[in-house]
Amino acid sequence: MKMNKPEKPILVTKPFLPEKETFMNYVDGIWQRDWMTNQGPLHHQLEDELKSYLGVENLTLTVNGHLALEIAIRGLGLTGEVITTPFTFASTIHSISMCGLKPVFCDIKPSDLTMDEEQIESLITEKTSAILPVHVYGHPCNTAKIEEIARRHGLKVIYDAAHTFGVRLNGQTLSLQGDVSIYSFHATKLFHTIEGGALVYKDPGLKQVFDDYKNFGIHDEEHVAYVGGNAKMNEFQAAMGLCNLKHIDEIIAERREITLRYRKNLEGQAGITLFYPDRAPGVEYNYAYLPVLIDRDAFGVSRDELHAALKANDNVVARKYFYPIGTEYDCYRELAAESRVPVAKAAGQSVLALPIYNGLSLEEVDYICECILNKKQS
Ligand code: T4K
């Protein structure tokens, strides 16, 4: 039987919530120990469990993904200019500016919307200290080529891996690429700690640096090593992470089913482009997002018209992730004048992230797809 228009809006995402009782058991422990934050026992336990799940040796938890980016930039001692993508969430670009550096925008590839590695070298100047690409939607960047360029020019690489929890490349977690990768564990992410984030890195020497930076630069009771802020994850966040990590395999499996259903319904429809990161060689994907591109000419209505109609008529709230793109922000007008990013601009105007979250039923997916296809005018 076909679904009627839902009473409550179907949002682009919804946080995964573990069993309340399991979370409350952790909360009882917090009450018993009188220890709420500042590297408590749950914080340590989550760091250990994440290292083991991800198969990494070095990981630092943070209060959110944005501050993980800022800590990576400060901890690696970057200066001058950092090459990044305009097709991302505001956090990526702002992390560079907030650290007093200049973001330099590199265009993206139409195939997967990640940084176009062929354009990086033309943007390198004597002021460039790093490349900060984004595995947008969990789509892996061309890490081999980016690594090779960075090595040749003596640049650092920080990956914004906010969307990649659970993604593996050639059997290894994707966050092992580059000098540092950062995760976001925000409530809207498939693995979350309410708010939260982490840095993953190869050099064990960075552990102390990052730990100091997240704690006001304080090295120990008598030494303050750096000018740092507060980015510590608290015990309630860590408790949520410990609960959610137990469900990670089922979370990814359910999202895969949802993705396959979208593909079944939308594949081959003129004017709709889907992405298949799970078909790329060596990639195990996490099904974090469900972006599609709407080609106005072939579909008959524009992305903006479709977005508005789904919301107004069908109670389906998709999101324009990521629009506006960085070069279109009011605060980056000057940078925009010196950037050439036509592919990112076109993607920003045609992309629509469709609802995907644990608990979204296949019946609801069918309903969303039917609503989309009903708007088609070609
Ligand atoms: N780098 C990248 C590439 C990122 O995508 C992000 C974050 C970061 C860095 C920074 O990491 P964090 O510092 O955030 O850890 C949301 C998230 O807040 C943000 O974390 C995420 N990217 C971004 C892609 O999505 P908004 O502005 O879209 O959030 P909002 O409030 O509109 O919520 C999105 C949808 O989720 C809405 O439909 C409402 C629903 N929702 C949200 C929350 C918080 C719920 O149903 N329940 C909830 O509790 O940014």
Side-chain angles (χ1 to χ4, degrees):
M1 213 177 67
K2 283 192 178 168
M3 208 182 109
N4 293 324
K5 179 176 168 178
E7 278 179 27
K8 274 174 69 177
I10 302 177
L11 301 178
V12 69
T13 187
K14 213 188 224 184
F16 177 85
L17 281 168
E19 321 75 50
K20 207 169 172 184
E21 200 189 339
T22 317
F23 184 71
M24 292 317 287
N25 285 340
Y26 283 113
V27 171
D28 285 343
I30 297 174
W31 250 251
Q32 282 157 21
R33 287 186 295 272
D34 287 328
W35 196 274
M36 296 201 164
T37 183
N38 291 11
Q39 286 73 256
L42 297 181
H43 173 285
H44 285 303
Q45 190 182 337
L46 182 60
E47 268 193 1
D48 288 345
E49 290 195 16
L50 284 172
K51 281 197 271 188
S52 152
Y53 170 75
L54 295 168
V56 303
E57 286 176 14
N58 306 299
L59 181 145
T60 297
L61 287 172
T62 54
V63 70
N64 58 47
H66 179 81
L67 286 173
L69 276 169
E70 288 198 20
I71 288 173
I73 292 169
R74 291 182 201 282
L76 290 178
L78 303 187
T79 56
E81 299 176 358
V82 176
I83 298 171
T84 193
T85 161
F87 192 76
T88 183
F89 191 58
S91 169
T92 317
I93 308 162
H94 289 341
S95 68
I96 300 169
S97 310
M98 296 284 284
C99 290
L101 310 184
K102 178 181 169 186
V104 173
F105 292 116
C106 182
D107 207 0
I108 58 172
K109 292 171 292 190
S111 55
D112 61 7
L113 311 182
T114 67
M115 187 181 275
D116 183 350
E117 61 279 355
E118 298 301 332
Q119 300 199 26
I120 295 174
E121 286 197 274
S122 67
L123 300 168
I124 296 175
T125 71
E126 70 282 358
K127 293 188 186 148
T128 310
S129 62
I131 310 170
L132 204 173
V134 180
H135 302 297
V136 68
Y137 313 122
H139 299 176
C141 297
N142 185 341
T143 53
K145 179 75 184 172
I146 291 171
E147 218 69 13
E148 186 264 309
I149 295 169
R151 200 163 307 130
R152 205 147 30 80
H153 292 270
L155 305 176
K156 299 284 186 195
V157 180
I158 298 173
Y159 282 105
D160 183 332
H163 302 167
T164 71
F165 196 81
V167 178
R168 294 168 78 80
L169 183 63
N170 303 325
Q172 270 195 339
T173 181
L174 186 58
S175 58
L176 273 174
Q177 301 294 318
D179 294 282
V180 181
S181 289
I182 73 93
Y183 285 115
S184 163
F185 299 151
H186 183 263
T188 54
K189 298 293 187 287
L190 64 87
F191 167 76
H192 76 87
T193 60
I194 310 171
E195 292 268 3
L199 301 113
V200 171
Y201 39 96
K202 290 193 201 100
D203 175 4
L206 288 170
K207 171 78 178 151
Q208 192 64 57
V209 179
F210 292 154
D211 280 351
D212 290 354
Y213 265 109
K214 79 177 189 187
N215 185 28
F216 311 100
I218 298 174
H219 185 65
D220 59 35
E221 281 185 21
E222 299 191 4
H223 299 97
V224 181
Y226 309 107
V227 179
N230 180 358
K232 290 172 271 116
M233 176 180 279
N234 69 52
E235 292 289 274
F236 292 87
Q237 292 174 285
M240 182 59 85
L242 288 166
C243 294
N244 288 341
L245 195 55
K246 299 185 206 310
H247 294 283
I248 191 65
D249 291 343
E250 69 202 68
I251 289 173
I252 293 175
E254 186 183 340
R255 300 173 81 100
R256 180 173 178 275
E257 287 308 305
I258 293 170
T259 301
L260 296 184
R261 189 64 158 240
Y262 269 116
R263 286 179 186 170
K264 182 168 172 276
N265 288 328
L266 298 180
E267 224 152 36
Q269 294 289 344
I272 302 182
T273 301
L274 297 160
F275 293 91
Y276 299 89
D278 47 343
R279 294 186 191 166
V283 175
E284 285 167 58
Y285 187 53
N286 64 358
Y287 306 92
Y289 288 87
L290 207 299
V292 296
L293 300 180
I294 303 298
D295 175 346
R296 188 187 195 289
D297 294 335
F299 193 73
V301 296
S302 70
R303 182 279 310 269
D304 286 348
E305 288 163 332
L306 175 62
H307 172 261
L310 287 172
K311 195 169 170 178
N313 306 338
D314 308 313
N315 234 354
V316 173
V317 187
R319 287 291 289 267
K320 302 175 194 177
Y321 290 143
F322 290 99
Y323 171 83
I325 61 164
T327 47
E328 294 161 346
Y329 296 0
D330 296 344
C331 52
Y332 292 131
R333 251 191 225 125
E334 278 176 31
L335 291 181
E338 50 190 77
S339 311
R340 235 199 115 261
V341 290
V343 180
K345 196 171 167 54
Q349 277 161 9
S350 60
V351 74
L352 200 58
L354 301 179
I356 181 165
Y357 52 82
N358 295 89
L360 181 72
S361 70
L362 297 181
E363 194 190 18
E364 286 172 309
V365 176
D366 291 345
Y367 168 78
I368 295 164
C369 295
E370 197 185 314
C371 294
I372 293 171
L373 296 177
N374 281 343
K375 312 275 177 302
K376 201 165 173 239
Q377 288 183 8
S378 57

